[in-house]
Every structure is written in structure tokens, then in C-alpha cells.
Amino acid sequence: MPGFRNEEPQVSEGVGPGTRGRVLVTGATGLLGRAVCRQLRDDGWSVIATGFSRALPGTLRCDLTCEEQVHLMLQQHKPHVIIHCAAERRPDVVERAPDSALNLNVHATAVLSKEAAACGAFLLFISTDYVFDGRNPPYGEDDAPNPLNLYGRSKLEGEREAQRHCPDCVVLRVPILFGEVERVEESAVTVLWTLVLDSAQTCSLDHTQQRFPTEARDVARVCSNICSRRTQDPSVRGVFHYSAQEQMTKYEMAKAIGDAFHLPSDHIVPLTAPGPGPASRPLNARLACSRLELLGLAVEPRPFRAAILDCLWPFTPDRRWRQTVFH
């Protein structure tokens, strides 16, 4: 079938006879998907990594918007669990190209959910704090969503499609993510590194919107915890929140990155009015994570400065300088 590529190396069989089951991860070439795949393999799951535009050798290539391809993929691999990480997550891109974004965030989720139900797989759908308007934080799992932008609306519609076709699914809402990036532009957090380095240029960064930058590895551990518990307890279902608790604006993130690397950051100045852009953002969509915590499925997030050092040190310009900072 055009667009669908299936090769034997695309399935990682975990740790052998003791493997917990087969997990299919969509968006496995992205920031979160890569972290989820690594964590699941470490925890003994057999991982089927899938991607599309960035699919590499060892990754199953499938167009999630094509029902026939999704059906064939699930029938061939028969996963016990599906973790749906694939999405268009850039709010401004969603506003500029709504049709393609809705096709991935809503239609593809509906297709995958229907096929998951047909093959009896447990579905874990990754959603966002942007389903909330940010006017009355913190937000619990049962609070009414009211997204401000098309990205938030598309993810909320994705949640509804997942729950409509897979009533026993889990929806996991998370905030802005960062982690081990392939390029600094891959995350809205790590991209600040380039601004910190360019000390010759004054840079204004938003100092109004409160964010809760969360490391992808921590989210991956939560995903693995949910999957493991679900194999023992089918009552694990519904909406969950996971978030780090360090509150920062983009300006404060950039200053923290400078502090972590002992770099000057006086050239970064706060912007105290919302900047221009096609997509509105919530001022503070802080997530309350009590449901995960009550079930013992949450993990302690790593401090931002320690985590950002791990993520960005490969991009430091001078090895000798790196050794001085880290030792």
C-alpha cells in the first residue's frame, strides 16, 4: 500500500519472554514519542514505533489520516496498548494551516480510536493544558474546558473522539514540554537557548503567560506507569493531568537557562504585554494532578535547571567550556 512501510526491524521486542505486551506509539519520532519509546523499552514492553514525515529505519511509517493504512497496521501488529503522541502541537501553525492540523489532531485520532476499539487495544491519548482558558487556575480533571485557540479546540475534539470510540481510554493532559531534542527548535523551551547565547542582541520575551515546563522523560514515566497499572486494574480510565510545578514565563525560562549555564542574560528583557501572533494563549493553565497522585501514578518532576542542563549541553559551543560548567 502506498505510504505504508512494514519491515521486521520496526518492532522492538523489549526484554524477551518477560515482556509486558506490545505498545504502539504514534509520533515516535517526536520529542515526547522518543522519550516514551525509550521508557517503555526500559520497562520491558515490546514497542512498535510509528511515524510518518520523519520516519527513519526502525520506525513503522503510517499515515494516521488514512483509515486503510491504520487498519492494516493494527491488524498486522495487534498491539495491546496504543499511546497516541502524534499531533500538530504548534498553536500558530494550527491557526495558519487549520485543515491539515485538524486532519491530524481530530480526524486521525478518530480513525485510530475506532481501530483501537476494533482490535481491543487500550488507548492512551496525549492532550494539552490549552483546553483551558487560563482564567481560573489551577484546573482539575473535571473542570470545564474552554480553549482560547484552534489548537486547544482541536485537542479537545480529539479527546472527545477518543472517548467516544474508546470509552475505557485514558486522556493525559500535559503542559509545554522540553527534553532531549534533536535540534533546539524542536521545543518552545529549548529554542530559547539561541536567544541566551546571542548576548549581542537585546531580546524581549513574554513575561505575562505563566507556563509549567515539563520534561518529556517525566511524562514518559507517567505513561509507562499508567500502562502498567491498567494491565492490573481496568478501572484506570478517564482524564488525568500531569505537570511540573515550577511556574515560569518565557522570560523566566530564558533567565533560568542562562543561570544554569553560567551565561550572561542581561540582554534578555521582559515583555509585559502579550506579543503579537495568530494564536491566543491562556495566561495560566496550571494543571492540578490529584487524580494521578491519588493512584500513585505520578512521578516527581526533575528541577528545571537540572533537566535543562541535560537537554542543552550537547549544543554548547565549546567542549572545554562544557567540561568547566559540568565539573
Side-chain angles (χ1 to χ4, degrees), residues 278-295:
S280 299
R281 267 97 163 156
L283 284 177
N284 186 342
R286 181 173 188 167
L287 298 174
C289 308
S290 59
R291 188 167 290 171
L292 271 180
E293 293 164 358
L294 287 172
L295 290 177

Side-chain angles (χ1 to χ4, degrees), residues 81-284:
V81 176
I82 298 170
I83 302 180
H84 185 25
C85 299
E88 176 51 74
R89 289 187 167 82
R90 297 166 295 178
D92 291 343
V93 172
V94 175
E95 297 288 340
R96 294 189 186 104
D99 291 343
S100 59
L102 291 172
N103 204 25
L104 179 58
N105 290 359
V106 182
H107 172 66
T109 301
V111 168
L112 189 67
S113 302
K114 285 189 285 187
E115 293 298 330
C119 72
F122 164 59
L123 177 66
L124 171 52
F125 174 64
I126 304 297
S127 190
T128 175
D129 59 343
Y130 274 26
V131 300
F132 298 111
D133 58 23
R135 298 188 180 104
N136 191 29
Y139 292 94
E141 293 87 351
D142 295 324
D143 286 333
N146 183 34
L148 295 181
N149 56 40
L150 185 57
Y151 166 63
R153 293 196 293 274
S154 73
K155 292 300 287 184
L156 182 58
E157 286 302 312
E159 290 184 13
R160 291 169 175 165
E161 290 294 333
Q163 293 173 312
R164 181 162 71 94
H165 297 291
C166 296
D168 292 332
C169 74
V170 163
V171 170
L172 180 64
R173 294 174 180 150
V174 297
I176 188 171
L177 300 181
F178 68 99
E180 295 179 1
V181 292
E182 294 179 343
R183 61 191 192 286
V184 294
E185 297 81 8
E186 194 174 9
S187 162
V189 178
T190 54
V191 73
L192 300 174
W193 173 245
T194 57
L195 304 178
V196 173
L197 283 183
D198 190 6
S199 58
Q201 295 289 331
T202 299
C203 173
S204 299
L205 286 176
D206 177 74
H207 194 40
T208 59
Q209 296 162 5
Q210 303 297 324
R211 314 292 183 89
F212 298 84
T214 300
E215 190 179 11
R217 286 187 296 183
D218 291 335
V219 178
R221 290 164 62 202
V222 169
C223 290
S224 183
N225 288 349
I226 291 171
C227 293
S228 297
R229 180 68 63 84
R230 177 56 184 254
T231 63
Q232 306 162 4
D233 183 1
S235 71
V236 176
R237 54 180 288 185
V239 178
F240 292 85
H241 291 171
Y242 179 71
S243 174
Q245 297 303 311
E246 291 181 81
Q247 181 173 307
M248 298 179 177
T249 62
K250 279 197 172 182
Y251 165 75
E252 289 170 328
M253 290 183 216
K255 298 291 280 188
I257 291 171
D259 291 345
F261 283 90
H262 307 296
L263 290 171
S265 58
D266 292 342
H267 62 290
I268 298 172
V269 297
L271 183 65
T272 54
S280 299
R281 267 97 163 156
L283 284 177
N284 186 342

